Amino acid sequence: MSTSFKLHLFFLSTENHASSVMSAEVALQKFSFPFACSLKLSSQDNVTQKGSSLAKDPELSKLKENPRLVEQNHVKVVQAPVEYKDQVPESTKSPDAGDTVAIQLSVSAEASRNAAVARQSIAENLRVDGEDQRPAAKRQLSSESAAKSITAVKKSALRKDPNEQRHLQQKSQLGQRGQLKAALPGQRKRRKDLFKSSEVFHRLDSSVIKAGAELKQKCVYDVKTIVQSITQGTRNELEQLRAIWVWLCNNIEYDVSGYLGRSEKLSSPEEVIAAGRGVCCSYSNLCTEMCSFDDFYFLTDPEEFIDSHFPDEEKWQLLDKPIPIEEFEQRVFKTSAFFKMGLRLISPLHYYIVTDDGEATVSLGFSRPTTFTYEITQHQDLLHCGSVEQKESSNSSFGLLTVSSRSMKLQLLPPESDTYDVKLFARSENATTPLVWVCSFTVKCPNPRATEDIPENPFLSWGLQPAAGSLGVIGSSQSSEVVEVEDGVFDLVLKTCRPLMVLCELVHPQMEAAVAKCCLATQIQPESLTCHVLCPFHGFYRLSLFVRDYENTEVKFQNAANYLLHCKGKVVGLEDLFPPNLGSACGPGTRTAKAGLSRFSHNSAMVSTQQGKCNITFHNQQDLELHYVLSKKNICSTFPVSRYVFCTYTDHKVTLSLSLPEAGVYRLGLYARITSSEDFSPMCDFIVRNLSNQVMPPFPCVYSAWGKGCVLFEPRMGTLEPLSWTLFRVRVPGALRVSVVGEDRTDLKLNKSRVWEGKVFSGEGLQQLKLAASLEDSSEMSVLMIFDVKQLQKEDIIRT
């Protein structure tokens, strides 16, 4: 169940004449009040209560008539605060008659009336109260215990000497904090001083849960039997306390219906145990936090307990400097998970926040890698009622969550003028369980900021993710803050500690997936990952990057980073986006290095030219067979686009020459294979942006016989003027004869530099010119390449 009634501490006493009150040193050091556990009382024992909170009004009337009530039960549950006062009995009994412990219950009629009013007030407060801005999780104080109090007076059956009486009086006053400090050596111990981890109780907890289940199955409701069973095998008072606490958490739940008066309250221990529920003044005296199997509430440090529980009396805060209720109600509500994860509040210090210029900021610190998310909803009075306490991810677009190495920051941007509830969720970085609720705030937004739509971020936070390091990403060129994109172009570089593969995703509220694909280009290098981004629209973009190990293809891509981009100036035109058929690897990188392709003239994937032509060179160390493809969307050209790229391969050096027919963005794809029996594998893509409007001529059409070592010096253009003489200079290794064949045949001469050269007449353009060679392994002439001859114009024909 999920309510937040305040915790009222409980005491158990069972019969054990030899130790009628256990010292409970551990409990004393923790809580500063006496705790008696597993003590056995004889049938003649009496306990006196003064000012007790009662479960039922008829019970109250009975006690008014008979203020001295002798209980036959072996276990008593008494509400805090408790004061033990050792007194010398007025009558003397024989030692073997046993101690007599009397409980006096004295409740005034005024206290009864106050209790009735308090119960009615609580029932009303649990309803929706829109005007009350106090957090509901802290507003529900126990009015019953505020109206009533208990004083337990312990009477001994034997007279004590004066020294012993003084000693007992000191013990009885341990409930007073000021006197507790004098009684205990040193300062009060914290939870971590008593035990390092709850794992030390694993065996005990399992045993208690098992024993409790067996007792419940056998319908055993006797308190004495239960206590003896669950504490069997305990070695000290700490383990006895733990055993009783674990049993209560697993067997007793809070009776909200009884608390609100909707059903009869259960008061006796047997009734509570049988029903498995109770209210503050009955057997369990537990609030919801303890009834939800939450280990944080076992011996909780007062400094942490005060964030969610406010005792009726100041001394039970157990703080060096007690706080007023006004400060308590302004504190940020923190769940037990907040402290378990070692989180700390940086800002704000109060739960209620008013936005400044439509923005509010929440910041938490942490000592261990932690994953965060959040939820922002319209305000409800009962903040935690009906809402989830676990969350898989965030689906809100009204905030920017960023996580650094030691802190997180949440910038909230409420969309409208309203009041909102904000819940933060967290989990350890390596955990696979859902994120759990850690704290809550209320945000009042008088004047929302006029903002553009922010795309949702399903990957928890902005910037590098907490798990990025374990994925191999060790740094980023961009912080987690919003990126202001200039001129519609943005480059992001992630530093890596090992070779990785990367996939990128770009999201804009108005952008379709097909357009988004043309806005991204990635370059994968052994020690870095580069993402080139184009922004064709104004507004906010989400850029997400996913990585995996380069070699391990069976592993799924995981989110490593998310960035919020804001473009409010110049944008990139849709016609200037990247080619739609780009590969996953652009530019030289890990793939080309593994294939032995190195020493690239252009280390970036982006190549720009203002003359309409350029050369890209690299070395082919493993002598791979290469293939290249040039493409452009919606190109207008007389010749195939493949005629505008020309390859020259000498020794290990490869030169790709480009002569581009029009301005725009081109894709140059490079492929390679080891043997002719294999398929070509993609090596990398270059993105070539031509800024020139000049129409450049194509290259000659090349055939397969043009191979390694062949070099075309002249002419470089693939189209020749008609009726003109053109000098041909070409190197063809191993050639016995090189000729140019058109309307006539011209044999080229081999000079001392091993270059075939000669002048060739182009003719009237009726036929193409073919460059052919007779190679060593064949007596036939093989065509190396073909040149086109322009057609004669009418005026040229008349002039001729």
Side-chain angles (χ1 to χ4, degrees):
M1 55 189 299
S2 180
T3 59
S4 65
F5 296 100
K6 299 301 174 181
L7 175 64
H8 292 269
L9 306 174
F10 62 93
F11 304 90
L12 301 177
S13 60
T14 60
E15 63 179 28
N16 188 337
H17 177 69
S19 57
S20 58
V21 177
M22 292 179 60
S23 63
E25 219 171 279
V26 174
L28 290 175
Q29 293 170 344
K30 277 300 298 176
F31 293 116
S32 304
F33 64 82
F35 186 94
C37 179
S38 189
L39 304 182
K40 187 176 181 182
L41 301 179
S42 67
S43 60
Q44 297 179 354
D45 289 344
N46 297 312
V47 180
T48 301
Q49 294 183 345
K50 184 177 181 181
S52 172
S53 297
L54 301 180
K56 304 179 184 178
D57 289 339
E59 189 74 18
L60 175 63
S61 302
K62 182 191 300 183
L63 293 174
K64 286 183 180 180
E65 297 174 358
N66 183 10
R68 298 183 59 85
L69 177 64
V70 178
E71 295 284 357
Q72 300 300 326
N73 293 323
H74 296 292
V75 177
K76 303 301 171 192
V77 179
V78 185
Q79 277 189 300
V82 176
E83 296 178 359
Y84 282 88
K85 297 182 179 180
D86 294 324
Q87 299 180 0
V88 178
E90 297 179 0
S91 59
T92 303
K93 296 184 181 180
S94 60
D96 57 353
D99 287 349
T100 301
V101 181
I103 295 181
Q104 293 184 343
L105 300 171
S106 174
V107 182
S108 64
E110 182 65 22
S112 177
R113 288 193 294 273
N114 290 343
V117 173
R119 285 193 295 270
Q120 182 179 1
S121 176
I122 290 179
E124 293 174 353
N125 286 339
L126 286 175
R127 301 185 181 95
V128 177
D129 184 2
E131 298 178 356
D132 194 347
Q133 296 297 330
R134 294 180 298 170
K138 296 181 175 178
R139 199 165 61 230
Q140 302 171 7
L141 301 179
S142 174
S143 298
E144 287 191 342
S145 61
K148 308 171 186 179
S149 61
I150 295 177
T151 300
V153 181
K154 177 173 178 257
K155 293 186 177 181
S156 175
L158 298 176
R159 292 184 179 273
K160 307 290 191 302
D161 57 46
N163 292 333
E164 187 175 357
Q165 290 185 38
R166 284 194 296 271
H167 174 68
L168 293 175
Q169 288 176 356
Q170 281 187 336
K171 290 179 61 179
S172 69
Q173 294 170 350
L174 289 176
Q176 302 292 337
R177 178 167 180 79
Q179 297 174 357
L180 172 68
K181 290 185 176 180
L184 291 178
Q187 296 182 348
R188 170 180 50 82
K189 291 185 178 179
R190 298 178 65 86
R191 170 182 166 127
K192 65 180 180 180
D193 299 325
L194 299 176
F195 56 93
K196 294 182 178 179
S197 169
S198 297
E199 292 297 322
V200 301
F201 299 116
H202 178 72
R203 178 193 59 81
L204 176 62
D205 293 351
S206 301
S207 176
V208 172
I209 293 173
K210 180 180 179 181
E214 293 175 353
L215 293 170
K216 186 174 183 179
Q217 186 177 11
K218 296 177 181 178
C219 299
V220 176
Y221 307 132
D222 178 65
V223 176
K224 173 184 175 182
T225 304
I226 294 175
V227 171
Q228 290 178 343
S229 177
I230 65 176
T231 60
Q232 185 177 4
T234 55
R235 297 169 293 183
N236 49 49
E237 293 174 348
L238 178 61
E239 290 192 355
Q240 293 173 358
L241 176 64
R242 177 74 180 194
I244 295 174
W245 183 86
V246 170
W247 182 88
L248 287 169
C249 290
N250 283 272
N251 292 275
I252 307 299
E253 66 178 12
Y254 199 91
D255 185 9
V256 179
S257 179
Y259 185 84
L260 298 178
R262 297 173 183 170
S263 63
E264 183 180 6
K265 295 180 183 178
L266 306 177
S267 57
S268 73
E270 288 74 14
E271 289 178 326
V272 172
I273 296 173
R277 58 185 173 88
V279 294
C280 289
C281 59
S282 52
Y283 177 75
S284 67
N285 288 332
L286 298 177
C287 66
T288 300
E289 285 84 351
M290 294 188 68
C291 293
S292 59
F293 315 122
D294 191 339
D295 187 78
F296 171 76
Y297 292 103
F298 178 67
L299 301 182
T300 312
D301 291 322
E303 292 79 8
E304 298 176 351
F305 208 60
I306 194 62
D307 277 320
S308 57
H309 296 74
F310 192 85
D312 300 335
E313 297 186 39
E314 183 181 274
K315 63 182 179 181
W316 293 118
Q317 293 184 24
L318 308 181
L319 299 173
D320 294 333
K321 294 182 180 180
I323 65 172
I325 190 172
E326 292 78 14
E327 180 180 340
F328 170 79
E329 292 180 339
Q330 290 298 318
R331 285 196 166 196
V332 175
F333 182 80
K334 308 182 186 89
T335 69
S336 62
F338 183 95
F339 301 100
K340 288 180 180 179
M341 296 184 186
L343 305 180
R344 68 182 187 279
L345 182 65
I346 298 177
S347 67
L349 300 181
H350 297 106
Y351 85 99
Y352 192 77
I353 314 171
V354 179
T355 59
D356 182 12
D357 190 26
E359 178 179 329
T361 301
V362 173
S363 182
L364 301 181
F366 52 87
S367 57
R368 299 183 299 271
T370 307
T371 301
F372 293 89
T373 188
Y374 68 99
E375 179 183 72
I376 177 171
T377 57
Q378 287 187 320
H379 175 66
Q380 298 179 1
D381 284 329
L382 297 180
L383 184 62
H384 63 289
C385 290
S387 61
V388 296
E389 296 189 9
Q390 294 183 339
K391 194 172 182 66
E392 291 291 347
S393 62
S394 172
N395 57 359
S396 173
S397 59
F398 304 135
L400 309 178
L401 177 62
T402 58
V403 181
S404 63
S405 60
R406 287 292 180 266
S407 65
M408 63 79 68
K409 183 172 72 172
L410 174 60
Q411 296 174 267
L412 295 166
L413 301 169
E416 299 176 353
S417 178
D418 204 342
T419 302
Y420 298 86
D421 291 332
V422 178
K423 299 180 71 173
L424 295 184
F425 300 81
R427 71 177 173 209
S428 298
E429 177 182 305
N430 297 327
T432 57
T433 56
L435 289 87
V436 297
W437 177 27
V438 293
C439 61
S440 297
F441 300 85
T442 298
V443 178
K444 175 67 176 179
C445 182
N447 299 305
R449 180 190 300 179
T451 59
E452 299 158 291
D453 291 339
I454 299 177
E456 293 184 357
N457 181 10
F459 306 108
L460 306 184
S461 64
W462 299 102
L464 283 180
Q465 293 297 284
S470 62
L471 298 176
V473 180
I474 58 175
S476 172
S477 62
Q478 179 62 43
S479 68
S480 56
E481 302 297 328
V482 178
V483 181
E484 295 295 338
V485 179
E486 297 181 0
D487 299 327
V489 179
F490 172 68
D491 290 342
L492 174 72
V493 180
L494 298 183
K495 294 296 182 181
T496 64
C497 62
R498 59 181 184 267
L500 300 177
M501 285 292 292
V502 65
L503 293 178
C504 299
E505 180 184 38
L506 188 66
V507 177
H508 184 278
Q510 302 174 356
M511 187 166 60
E512 298 180 354
V515 176
K517 186 177 180 181
C518 298
C519 296
L520 294 171
T522 56
Q523 184 171 4
I524 302 172
Q525 295 174 302
E527 297 181 352
S528 66
L529 303 171
T530 303
C531 181
H532 302 277
V533 182
L534 302 179
C535 298
F537 303 104
H538 291 106
F540 286 98
Y541 294 77
R542 172 175 60 82
L543 173 63
S544 297
L545 292 89
F546 308 84
V547 300
R548 67 162 171 81
D549 285 345
Y550 189 86
E551 299 291 348
N552 197 347
T553 58
E554 297 180 356
V555 176
K556 294 182 179 179
F557 283 89
Q558 298 185 59
N559 180 249
N562 306 281
Y563 296 91
L564 187 64
L565 313 183
H566 186 216
C567 183
K568 59 181 180 181
K570 182 180 177 181
V571 297
V572 177
L574 294 177
E575 67 281 359
D576 293 325
L577 298 180
F578 296 135
N581 53 347
L582 280 179
S584 59
C586 295
T590 306
R591 186 178 297 171
T592 55
K594 288 182 176 294
L597 305 181
S598 62
R599 300 172 62 181
F600 280 82
S601 59
H602 296 72
N603 292 321
S604 172
M606 313 296 295
V607 178
S608 179
T609 175
Q610 296 182 349
Q611 293 80 30
K613 59 182 180 180
C614 65
N615 292 331
I616 298 176
T617 64
F618 57 92
H619 283 246
N620 183 6
Q621 301 292 344
Q622 299 184 18
D623 202 21
L624 302 177
E625 184 179 354
L626 301 176
H627 179 63
Y628 42 89
V629 175
L630 183 68
S631 62
K632 181 181 181 294
K633 185 179 180 181
N634 300 326
I635 189 171
C636 297
S637 174
T638 305
F639 299 94
V641 70
S642 60
R643 290 280 301 272
Y644 294 92
V645 58
F646 187 84
C647 179
T648 302
Y649 184 13
T650 60
D651 296 329
H652 293 296
K653 185 178 180 180
V654 179
T655 301
L656 294 178
S657 300
L658 302 180
S659 178
L660 305 175
E662 63 183 24
V665 183
Y666 295 78
R667 167 186 174 263
L668 175 62
L670 180 61
Y671 302 82
R673 67 182 179 184
I674 298 177
T675 63
S676 58
S677 61
E678 297 178 351
D679 292 332
F680 282 99
S681 298
M683 293 290 101
C684 69
D685 289 344
F686 285 94
I687 301 167
V688 182
R689 188 175 297 275
N690 181 20
L691 304 178
S692 174
N693 291 319
Q694 182 180 356
V695 179
M696 299 300 293
F699 292 104
C701 181
V702 178
Y703 286 78
S704 60
W706 181 265
K708 182 179 180 181
C710 296
V711 180
L712 176 64
F713 297 104
E714 293 183 76
R716 298 284 292 179
M717 294 185 298
T719 56
L720 304 177
E721 294 295 330
L723 303 176
S724 64
W725 290 91
T726 304
L727 178 62
F728 275 73
R729 298 180 66 248
V730 61
R731 177 179 291 158
V732 184
L736 301 177
R737 180 181 180 186
V738 176
S739 304
V740 177
V741 181
E743 295 179 7
D744 296 314
R745 174 175 173 168
T746 304
D747 292 331
L748 303 182
K749 304 295 184 180
L750 184 64
N751 64 19
K752 295 180 180 180
S753 300
R754 308 297 297 175
V755 174
W756 298 86
E757 61 182 1
K759 287 190 174 182
V760 178
F761 186 70
S762 62
E764 297 180 356
L766 301 178
Q767 292 185 6
Q768 296 174 321
L769 297 184
K770 299 178 181 180
L771 178 65
S774 175
L775 304 177
E776 293 178 351
D777 56 351
S778 176
S779 59
E780 297 181 356
M781 298 289 287
S782 299
V783 177
L784 303 179
M785 61 183 64
I786 295 179
F787 295 82
D788 291 292
V789 180
K790 296 180 181 179
Q791 297 290 326
L792 285 172
Q793 302 296 326
K794 289 184 178 181
E795 55 271 19
D796 295 332
I797 298 175
I798 295 174
R799 188 182 306 114
T800 302

